[in-house]
Amino acid sequence: MPDDGATEHSTTRRHAAARRPSGAGSLLRETAIILVSAIVLSLLVKTFLVQAFFIPSQSMHDTLIEHDRILVSKLTPGPFDLRRGDIVVFKDPGGWLPSDTAPDPGPVRGAINNALTFIGLYPADANEHLVKRLIGLPGDHVSAEVGGPVVVNGEPLDEPYLAAGVQPSDIAFDVTVPENSIWVMGDNRSHSSDSRYNQGNPGGGSVPVDNVVGMAFVTVWPIERMGLLRNPTSTFADVPDQP
């Protein structure tokens, strides 16, 4: 006579086995969970902490060169204040970038690039952004004569980060940075369409702080150029703050 208990136990085991997901299904589900988690985490990091950009031009030689990949901290400005000497990424205030557009990568690749850029897995291009060094804070008086140093609040700057052989400025200018704005210049002054050359555009050459995406703090690619981007604090140490 069959053992009812044994039969019931066997039936329960068969039902449990039927409910247990197959090996392939379980792997697929776990992979999907990992991918979604990675995408959400990357999006959060890109939105609130760090974003990748690549360098398209020679305006920041030799600190940054074409095709360098950099990481930008989005905590500055924010929890941390902008400082003179910071390398900042900012949105075009209007008229800084040429009107010609980048080559069309095609609908499929364009959609993939846009999606990866949106979630932070691909460095943003330069269609709307620029990279320069912050020279003047709100209220600063910034000036230069051709062949002379850049002067901030009466203090001439010794700028060791300038590209070899370039002058601090090849045009004269004299400005007071508006409230909630910054004055920026490229390290390769002879090949940088920076604040000096945009005084006829909105803001008079100054960049609204609201346009600043963040502060560049490290070069991550190519490997041979990997390294921290340090603020040259000694250059601005003697610059007095404006009252």
Side-chain angles (χ1 to χ4, degrees):
M1 181 177 179
D3 186 340
D4 291 342
T7 302
E8 182 179 351
H9 181 64
S10 176
T11 302
T12 302
R13 283 191 301 172
R14 288 197 300 271
H15 288 171
R19 290 194 299 268
R20 188 180 303 124
S22 65
S26 178
L27 178 61
L28 182 62
R29 184 179 63 183
E30 291 176 6
T31 301
I33 291 173
I34 292 172
L35 287 176
V36 171
S37 299
I39 290 172
V40 171
L41 179 60
S42 180
L43 181 59
L44 290 173
V45 169
K46 179 249 184 179
T47 302
F48 298 106
L49 297 177
V50 174
Q51 186 171 358
F53 288 87
F54 68 80
I55 305 302
S57 74
Q58 59 182 323
S59 70
M60 284 296 291
H61 278 207
D62 294 322
T63 307
L64 299 170
I65 64 175
E66 294 91 333
H67 310 303
D68 278 356
R69 264 62 170 176
I70 60 174
L71 294 183
V72 171
S73 169
K74 305 187 84 168
L75 299 177
T76 306
F80 301 103
D81 294 331
L82 290 166
R83 299 181 297 164
R84 303 181 190 96
D86 285 345
I87 297 173
V88 293
V89 173
F90 57 94
K91 294 180 182 178
D92 184 355
W96 288 49
L97 290 170
S99 57
D100 57 312
T101 58
D104 186 0
V108 176
R109 182 168 181 178
I112 293 173
N113 287 352
N114 289 338
L116 293 177
T117 300
F118 176 74
I119 62 178
L121 296 178
Y122 189 80
D125 60 29
N127 288 341
E128 298 180 352
H129 298 89
L130 300 98
V131 182
K132 306 292 179 188
R133 192 176 296 275
L134 194 164
I135 301 298
L137 292 169
D140 280 350
H141 178 210
V142 187
S143 63
E145 297 293 337
V146 176
V150 172
V151 180
V152 180
N153 298 340
E155 182 67 29
L157 303 181
D158 177 16
E159 302 182 276
Y161 43 75
L162 294 183
V166 305
Q167 299 183 88
S169 183
D170 46 14
I171 65 170
F173 65 93
D174 190 320
V175 300
T176 297
V177 184
E179 184 179 1
N180 298 320
S181 297
I182 57 175
W183 184 265
V184 296
M185 300 172 71
D187 289 357
N188 193 6
R189 299 283 163 81
S190 299
H191 299 278
S192 177
S193 180
D194 50 39
S195 288
R196 298 169 296 163
Y197 293 95
N198 287 281
Q199 296 182 68
N201 287 322
S206 295
V207 177
V209 171
D210 287 345
N211 282 45
V212 177
V213 176
M215 177 195 70
F217 67 95
V218 65
T219 303
V220 295
W221 190 264
I223 293 176
E224 61 270 19
R225 288 185 49 78
M226 186 180 297
L228 295 176
L229 298 169
R230 301 183 185 278
N231 182 294
T233 53
S234 60
T235 296
F236 299 89
D238 294 329
V239 175
D241 290 331
Q242 286 293 87

